[in-house]
């Protein structure tokens, strides 16, 4: 630190909206760079601010784990839109998930917001997440984060780079993390050819990071038979998302791949 310099940050430190150029980059560059950034959600009950601590990258048509792997559909259209917009989808008939679109328009890419630390608006987050045993669990996992922030389909396609402070979603500079604290590993719940891609990023040791769970094929009841059998061939099982996260909130556990220490981002 420079001698005699006031170390106290100015009042507007970290309050600058991220420009669209931030998102107009390859998704594998954007995803880890989102850690530590501030997500602002303006609701009818007031604003909520979240410091992002866990994300996953999904690379569109070159990524078997992505919703856009087989091309554009009505559901994933926002992933092909301009960078710096939201992609919101419903999973398992129960949960909303929030993603941020990256890369050039016409080329799908998105970052799933998996977890964060509530900085303000904690009381309204607690109302929406009454089963959270502590504040660290309010936005721990993609479905929990979306629930705490009152995310729904109305936010699909929302611009997160606008200057309007009253916009429903905004991303601010926040406090980017040191690369030494970033860890990476396989994405939660992704099976098939995309299962081993180390495209999940998190802040090491942060209590709001959800535990890793590998892909587990979903059993489906077969008509005319008793019990449950394996999922049909080609079933995506737990996959979904701008890629393929699990929709149900996780339970407390240790982030990273079971049995191995978290890897440094490469």
């Amino acid at each position: 630190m420079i001698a005699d310099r006031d170390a106290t940050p100015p009042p507007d430190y970290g309050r600058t909206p991220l420009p669209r150029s931030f998102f107009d980059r390859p998704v594998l560059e954007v995803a880890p760079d989102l850690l530590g950034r501030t997500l602002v959600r303006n609701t009818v009950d007031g604003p909520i601010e979240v410091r992002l601590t866990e994300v996953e990258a999904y690379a569109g048509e070159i990524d078997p784990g992505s919703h856009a792997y087989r091309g554009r559909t009505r559901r994933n259209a926002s992933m092909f839109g301009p960078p710096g917009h939201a992609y919101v989808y419903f999973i398992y008939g129960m949960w909303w998930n929030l993603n941020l679109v990256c890369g050039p328009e016409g080329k799908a890419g998105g970052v799933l917001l998996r977890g964060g630390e509530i900085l303000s608006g904690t009381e309204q987050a607690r109302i929406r997440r009454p089963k959270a045993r502590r504040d660290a669990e309010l936005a721990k996992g993609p479905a929990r984060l979306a629930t705490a922030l009152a995310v729904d389909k109305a936010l699909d396609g929302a611009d997160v780079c606008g200057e309007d402070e009253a916009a429903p979603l905004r991303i601010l500079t926040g406090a980017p993390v040191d690369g030494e604290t970033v860890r990476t590993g396989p994405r939660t719940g992704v099976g098939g050819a995309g299962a081993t891609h180390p495209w999940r990023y998190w802040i090491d040791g942060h209590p709001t990071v959800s535990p890793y769970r590998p892909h587990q094929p979903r059993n489906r009841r077969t008509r005319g038979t008793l019990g449950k059998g394996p999922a049909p061939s080609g079933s995506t099982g737990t996959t979904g998302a701008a890629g393929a996260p699990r929709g149900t909130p996780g339970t407390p556990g240790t982030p990273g791949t079971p049995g191995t220490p978290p890897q440094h981002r490469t």
Side-chain angles (χ1 to χ4, degrees):
M1 185 174 71
I2 299 175
D4 300 324
R5 174 171 290 184
D6 184 0
T8 303
D12 61 348
Y13 176 77
R15 306 298 299 176
T16 304
L18 290 177
R20 200 165 311 283
S21 58
F22 175 93
F23 295 96
D24 194 9
R25 298 181 291 159
V27 68
L28 296 183
E29 291 182 16
V30 176
D33 204 4
L34 278 170
L35 295 176
R37 309 295 185 171
T38 301
L39 171 66
V40 180
R41 167 72 172 114
N42 287 308
T43 76
V44 294
D45 300 312
I48 304 181
E49 298 193 3
V50 178
R51 180 176 183 246
L52 298 177
T53 60
E54 180 188 3
V55 299
E56 284 179 342
Y58 291 89
E61 293 168 294
I62 65 170
D63 179 5
S66 173
H67 279 173
Y69 181 56
R70 290 182 173 84
R72 182 169 184 153
T73 66
R74 198 178 206 181
R75 182 194 193 199
N76 67 25
S78 292
M79 284 190 74
F80 292 82
H85 287 71
Y87 167 47
V88 177
Y89 66 90
F90 201 48
I91 190 168
Y92 301 145
M94 295 183 290
W95 313 108
W96 296 102
N97 280 181
L98 174 61
N99 307 263
L100 300 179
V101 178
C102 305
E105 184 171 2
K107 184 177 181 181
V111 178
L112 172 69
L113 306 186
R114 284 197 57 87
E117 174 187 5
I118 305 289
L119 301 177
S120 66
T122 306
E123 287 303 320
Q124 58 171 303
R126 288 173 183 156
I127 292 173
R128 297 190 185 99
R129 291 271 298 112
K131 293 184 179 180
R133 294 169 295 180
R134 54 197 179 101
D135 287 353
E137 295 181 358
L138 289 172
K140 184 176 184 176
R144 292 176 172 184
L145 182 149
T147 300
L149 271 58
V151 169
D152 60 21
K153 189 64 175 178
L155 293 176
D156 187 41
D159 189 351
V160 303
C161 298
E163 296 289 338
D164 183 4
E165 294 187 1
L169 282 175
R170 302 173 74 220
I171 298 289
L172 308 182
T173 304
V177 300
D178 187 311
E180 290 299 313
T181 68
V182 176
R183 299 293 181 266
T184 186
R187 296 171 294 186
T188 295
V190 176
T196 60
H197 294 350
W199 293 352
R200 171 174 168 254
Y201 304 88
W202 68 92
I203 299 176
D204 189 32
H206 203 283
T208 63
V209 175
S210 62
Y212 169 77
R213 288 191 180 93
H215 168 71
Q216 295 292 337
R218 298 176 69 192
N219 290 330
R220 300 179 186 273
R221 188 178 299 276
T222 302
R223 182 178 299 176
T225 62
L226 296 176
K228 294 184 178 181
S233 175
S235 168
T236 56
T238 58
T239 60
R246 297 177 63 90
T248 53
T251 54
T254 302
T257 306
T260 60
Q263 300 174 331
H264 285 276
R265 176 164 59 90
T266 57

